[in-house]
Amino acid sequence: MYSSDFILEHYSEDGENYEEAIAELMETRQATRTPTRDAAGIALLLRYYNQLYFIERRFFPPDRSLGIHFEWFDSLTGVPSRQRTVAFEKASILFNAGALYTQLAAKQDRHSARGLDQAVDAFLRAAGTFRYIHENFTNAPSMDLGPDMLEMLVQLMLAQARECLFEKLELQSREGRTIDISLDLAQEAAQVAAVYNDVHALISREPVRDYVPETWISLILVKREHHLALAHKHLAAGLLDRPIADFRVETKLTLEHIQKSDGKTQLEVTVPRDDNERKLLGKAHLREALVLHEESQRLQRMCRELKGKQALAKVLKKGHEATLDTYNKIGDEDDFRELLDPPDIIASTKFQLSITHPDFGQHGVEDLFRSLGPVAIFSAKRHWTAPRNVQLQRGPDGEGFGFSVRGDSPVIIAAVDHNSLAEMAGMKESDFIVGIGDKDVKWASHEQAVRLIKQCGDFINLKLVTPMDRNYMKKPGKPSQHDKGSVSASSSSGVSSGQPSPAGSVTTAHVTRRLPWNPFKKSVNQRDSRDLTFDNVILR
C-alpha cells in the first residue's frame, strides 16, 4: 500500500505500525460514499474532510505527483471523474455534504413553522457549502464542481429558502389577515418569482443547461409562474377585502409603491379613488392570477416527469381553484377597462438571507498519523536525514555534554559547544530530537525533554534527525500568501497544531520566548550571543 511505503521511505518508520490507522482511514472513506441521509451523514463527511487536511500534508508532496487518483461520479449523469489531487477529494466530499443538506431540507414538515425554519436553515447551509466550494476550489474535472454549476446551485438553494419563508408568512397570517399583510404577501410572492426567474437564467446558460435534467428547468418555470400568480391573488384579496374608506394612508402609499403600470396595455389605476376602482383593480389582479395559474399547470403537464407528480399537481390545482372561487364571487360589471392588464407587482422582501458556510470546527478529528510527529514539521513537503542514534557518556570530571535545547514538539538542538562531547558525537545545531532513550519525543514539550535528559544521568542515548530544507535556528522570513485550494494542484489547509482550518492557509505555531536556562554546561552564567528572537524556539 502506498501509505506504508511512503511512511518507510519518507519518515523512516515501519509502515506496519500504522496499519490500523490506514484501515480506519479507508473505512471512513468507504463510509462517505454512502452516508446516511441525516445530520449524522453530514457529520461523517465533514469529519473525513477535516482528516484529509492531515492526509494531504502527511502523504502528498506539493512538488511532485504520486500517481494516486481520486475518483467520483457526477451526481446527475453518473459520469466518472478522476484527478490526482487531494483537493478534488475534498471538493467532492463537500459537494455531497451540500447535497445532503438539500435532502434534509426537502424532508421537513412544511405545514409547520418549525419545519419551515428547519428547511430554511438546511437550504442556507447547502448554499453556503456550494459557495465555499466555488470560492476555494478551481479547475475541477467534474461538472458538479464547475463554477457555473455551483453558482446556479447556490442561487437555487437561496430561492428555495425564500420560498419556505413565504410559506411561513402565509401560514402565520392565515387567521385575521389584513390588507397590509396581504400586500406584504404579494410582494414576498413576487420576490420568490423573481429569484426563480434569476435561477432560470443561470440554469439556461451553457454548459449548465446541457448537464441538468430538463425536469429542473421545467419545475423552476412552474414555480416562477405559480408564485407570480400568488402575488396577484394576494394583492387582489387585500383590495377586495375592505371598502376604500377603511384604507389607511400608509396602505395607499404601499399600493402606490408596489405596483407599476406601463400605461399602454395596463390599468393606470394603482391607488383606487373609490370602491368601483378598487373592485376594478382587484378583479384585474385576479384575472392575471388565473392566467398565471393556468400557465403553471400547463408547464407542469408539458413535462413528462412533472406530469406524474401528483403532489405538485394537487398544489397547483388547489391554488387555481381558490383564485377562481374568489373571482366568481365578484359581481359582473361592464367596464371597458376590464380588457386591460393589471399593473406589475414590484418584487420586494423584508427577509435578508445569509448563507451558512460549513462549520468545520464542530467536527473535530485527531490526526490518525499523529505518531509521525507534528504535521507542521513532519510533513510530505519537509525533508530530513534518516534518524541516527547518538550516545553521550559524561566523564568522571563532570564535564558537561556541551549542547543546549530549545522549542517544543519537537525539541531542537539550539547550540553545540566546540570540542564538546556533543560535537564529537556528531550533534549539530538545528537537529531535531525525536527520541530519548526508548521514548519517542517528537511531541514532547521543552520541559518534558529536559526532564527525560536529566533522568538519563551520565549516559544519554538520543535519536536525532537533521532537517535538509531549512535551518530552524534561523529566524524565518515573513509568511507568504498561500493560494486557496485547487483541485488541479495540491492544496493544504489548517494550522500546525489543533484542528484544521477550513480554507487554504498554513500557520506555524508560535511559542513565547522563555527565560534562559541550560543545565548541561559547566558555566550556568554563560549566555549565547546570537540573535535568539525567532519562532517556535526557546532561549536555552
Side-chain angles (χ1 to χ4, degrees):
M1 182 176 290
Y2 162 74
S3 299
S4 298
D5 294 339
F6 191 82
I7 289 173
L8 179 61
E9 171 197 338
H10 189 75
Y11 295 97
S12 301
E13 294 198 27
D14 189 350
E16 292 185 358
N17 296 333
Y18 294 88
E19 286 184 353
E20 185 176 339
I22 295 171
E24 183 177 345
L25 174 66
M26 299 310 296
E27 288 175 4
T28 302
R29 185 179 193 273
Q30 186 62 31
T32 62
R33 300 175 72 89
T34 54
T36 55
R37 268 54 176 171
D38 52 22
I42 293 173
L44 170 67
L45 292 172
L46 294 184
R47 286 198 304 271
Y48 177 60
Y49 178 89
N50 281 343
Q51 191 63 241
L52 286 174
Y53 156 73
F54 295 110
I55 299 304
E56 182 178 27
R57 299 192 70 188
R58 293 289 191 193
F59 301 110
F60 290 84
D63 55 349
R64 61 189 175 101
S65 174
L66 300 173
I68 297 177
H69 289 87
F70 294 95
E71 183 176 61
W72 286 92
F73 297 87
D74 282 343
S75 60
L76 299 178
T77 64
V79 174
S81 299
R82 304 176 72 196
Q83 201 174 58
R84 295 180 179 180
T85 64
V86 181
F88 178 50
E89 177 90 340
K90 288 181 176 179
S92 298
I93 288 294
L94 287 182
F95 185 90
N96 283 354
L100 280 187
Y101 277 126
T102 69
Q103 296 184 27
L104 285 180
K107 68 190 294 186
Q108 299 304 320
D109 176 15
R110 288 167 64 175
H111 294 94
S112 68
R114 182 173 182 273
L116 287 165
D117 285 340
Q118 291 175 332
V120 170
D121 179 72
F123 278 128
L124 292 179
R125 290 182 184 278
T129 303
F130 293 135
R131 175 63 59 79
Y132 184 86
I133 300 171
H134 185 280
E135 293 176 347
N136 291 277
F137 299 93
T138 57
N139 302 321
S142 166
M143 267 300 299
D144 281 344
L145 305 177
D148 294 325
M149 183 67 182
L150 289 170
E151 182 57 31
M152 186 278 294
L153 289 174
V154 170
Q155 298 307 318
L156 180 58
M157 297 306 111
L158 291 175
Q160 292 178 101
R162 192 164 293 284
E163 181 181 358
C164 290
L165 286 173
F166 167 71
E167 291 178 2
K168 181 181 177 182
L169 184 60
E170 270 195 321
L171 180 68
Q172 293 178 330
S173 63
R174 189 167 293 170
E175 302 294 334
R177 189 174 294 172
T178 65
I179 180 175
D180 296 302
I181 293 177
S182 294
L183 298 184
D184 285 343
L185 285 169
Q187 281 197 291
E188 292 293 341
Q191 181 69 22
V192 174
V195 294
Y196 273 120
N197 188 63
D198 294 339
V199 173
H200 181 259
L202 292 173
I203 204 171
S204 300
R205 297 188 314 194
E206 301 292 345
V208 178
R209 183 179 180 85
D210 294 335
Y211 177 64
V212 300
E214 192 66 30
T215 311
W216 285 28
I217 301 174
S218 298
L219 183 56
I220 288 170
L221 289 175
V222 168
K223 284 178 174 285
R224 182 188 69 184
E225 301 302 302
H226 175 68
H227 285 92
L228 199 52
L230 293 179
H232 285 282
K233 175 194 172 184
H234 283 301
L235 185 52
L239 287 166
L240 299 172
D241 186 55
R242 293 283 189 275
I244 193 69
D246 291 346
F247 283 23
R248 300 183 304 125
V249 174
E250 292 82 0
T251 302
K252 294 181 179 180
L253 287 174
T254 302
L255 282 170
E256 182 179 1
H257 285 100
I258 71 173
Q259 298 177 97
K260 181 180 180 182
S261 175
D262 61 13
K264 297 178 182 178
T265 62
Q266 295 177 326
L267 279 171
E268 294 184 4
V269 177
T270 56
V271 182
R273 292 167 293 185
D274 52 41
D275 283 333
N276 287 332
E277 285 192 348
R278 176 180 62 81
K279 293 179 181 179
L280 177 70
L281 183 59
K283 196 171 182 180
H285 279 294
L286 278 179
R287 284 199 309 274
E288 184 67 14
L290 287 172
V291 171
L292 291 166
H293 277 307
E294 291 168 358
E295 177 62 11
S296 66
Q297 290 176 298
R298 185 190 72 83
L299 290 170
Q300 184 246 344
R301 292 191 300 268
M302 289 291 290
C303 179
R304 180 179 301 176
E305 186 171 343
L306 291 182
K307 187 177 181 180
K309 302 295 183 183
Q310 296 303 316
L312 175 62
K314 183 178 180 180
V315 170
L316 298 179
K317 183 180 180 180
K318 182 179 179 181
H320 180 248
E321 290 178 345
T323 303
L324 183 61
D325 183 61
T326 303
Y327 185 80
N328 290 333
K329 291 178 180 178
I330 302 175
D332 293 331
E333 297 180 9
D334 294 330
D335 192 325
F336 74 93
R337 289 179 296 177
E338 289 190 4
L339 299 175
L340 296 176
D341 296 325
D344 293 328
I345 299 176
I346 300 174
S348 182
T349 181
K350 295 181 179 179
F351 302 106
Q352 299 302 316
L353 297 179
S354 298
I355 65 176
T356 307
H357 284 91
D359 188 356
F360 300 103
Q362 281 192 349
H363 307 282
V365 296
E366 182 174 330
D367 181 8
L368 291 174
F369 299 89
R370 189 177 187 276
S371 297
L372 292 174
V375 73
I377 300 295
F378 299 99
S379 65
K381 73 175 181 178
R382 304 293 184 190
H383 298 277
W384 52 88
T385 61
R388 66 187 189 278
N389 289 317
V390 172
Q391 296 180 344
L392 302 178
Q393 176 72 54
R394 197 196 307 267
D397 58 354
E399 180 184 2
F401 293 112
F403 71 93
S404 58
V405 297
R406 292 195 186 97
D408 298 276
S409 307
V411 173
I412 303 174
I413 301 297
V416 177
D417 293 341
H418 183 59
N419 288 330
S420 65
L421 292 174
E423 184 182 53
M424 289 186 287
M427 295 177 64
K428 294 179 291 186
E429 179 187 289
S430 194
D431 280 348
F432 295 147
I433 302 179
V434 297
I436 301 176
D438 59 354
K439 297 185 180 297
D440 186 295
V441 295
K442 290 190 288 290
W443 282 98
S445 68
H446 183 84
E447 289 80 6
Q448 290 171 333
V450 169
R451 184 167 60 252
L452 286 172
I453 292 174
K454 292 174 68 175
Q455 290 173 356
C456 292
D458 293 336
F459 177 78
I460 303 177
N461 186 6
L462 302 175
K463 181 184 289 187
L464 307 175
V465 296
T466 303
M468 300 172 63
D469 50 4
R470 174 183 166 186
N471 186 340
Y472 286 82
M473 294 305 298
K474 292 184 178 180
K475 185 176 181 179
K478 293 183 179 180
S480 61
Q481 288 291 331
H482 290 271
D483 295 332
K484 292 181 178 179
S486 168
V487 292
S488 62
S490 62
S491 68
S492 56
S493 62
V495 293
S496 59
S497 59
Q499 295 303 327
S501 66
S505 63
V506 180
T507 310
T508 57
H510 180 81
V511 179
T512 306
R513 181 175 173 179
R514 303 179 187 175
L515 295 176
W517 181 62
N518 178 9
F520 305 119
K521 294 186 66 67
K522 276 187 174 181
S523 174
V524 295
N525 295 322
Q526 184 175 348
R527 301 287 291 272
D528 196 330
S529 61
R530 292 170 295 177
D531 179 18
L532 298 173
T533 57
F534 36 80
D535 292 342
N536 204 30
V537 293
I538 303 167
L539 187 64
R540 55 177 175 166

